[in-house]
Amino acid sequence: MKARDPTVLRALLDDPDPQVRSWAQSDIEDHPKHEPPPYSPPTREWQWQCDNPPPPAMSGVEIERLLRDALPDFADRLMALARPAIGLWPQRLRADRDGATSRLGGMPLAPPDWRWPTVEREPLLFVGQIDCAELQGLPGAEQLPPRGMLAFLGDHDAVMACRYEARDIAVHHWLDIDRLIPATPPIEPAFIFPTCALAFRPLIDLPDPLQPRGARPAAG
């Protein structure tokens, strides 16, 4: 809630839920009084990634050589953990691509009867969506659905890495992409992230430290 504009927080002071009213009052009192810094356009270095295709990732041989130079006592153990992964590379949006493609940010497409997930009545932040068909042929994609749309959402603390573990997240998979329509949240989300297209590249990565032992992650 602290990410919200004070005007929105004040509207929640009339919410029928006393807990929501209490949170809103507390966050209004804690809300920063100074103006946010002026917007600065991205530098050319930041824009380079969006305007260029993804470069080839390091091979397993290259990674092992670097590990043996830097961590010779742990190289074998680390390489035993390495798994195929799918890297996400942001790209500039093109006018000839519609919203039913893989992208980060913006607003989600969802089935007409889908209800936006919330935590404490706050809409989860939409992170992005992936068309599973675009992943076919990449190492590790066989562990994901071969078709349909994956949508990813999380609460503010989960998305902004305010906690090490992401507790309040939602991942949806919808098979019939042609039925998806722009989703409407119950109230405006605290953030709507800038939209960018996605390109994919094969990587070699390590599993999440909290991944169950023996599990093989397919994307990273």
Side-chain angles (χ1 to χ4, degrees), residues 2 53 55 63 169 196:
K2 290 181 181 179
I63 294 173
I169 62 175
C196 69

Side-chain angles (χ1 to χ4, degrees), residues 69-129:
D69 289 341
L71 301 166
D73 294 338
F74 302 95
D76 288 336
R77 292 165 60 186
L78 290 171
M79 286 306 299
L81 293 172
R83 297 289 184 269
I86 299 173
L88 309 182
W89 186 269
Q91 296 279 266
R92 194 175 300 278
L93 286 174
R94 299 202 322 256
D96 60 340
R97 300 193 72 182
D98 60 25
T101 56
S102 300
R103 58 182 169 85
L104 296 177
M107 295 291 276
L109 298 177
D113 56 351
W114 180 67
R115 298 185 64 180
W116 196 298
T118 61
V119 173
E120 297 168 354
R121 306 188 64 180
E122 182 78 9
L124 296 187
L125 304 183
F126 173 64
V127 178
Q129 63 185 31

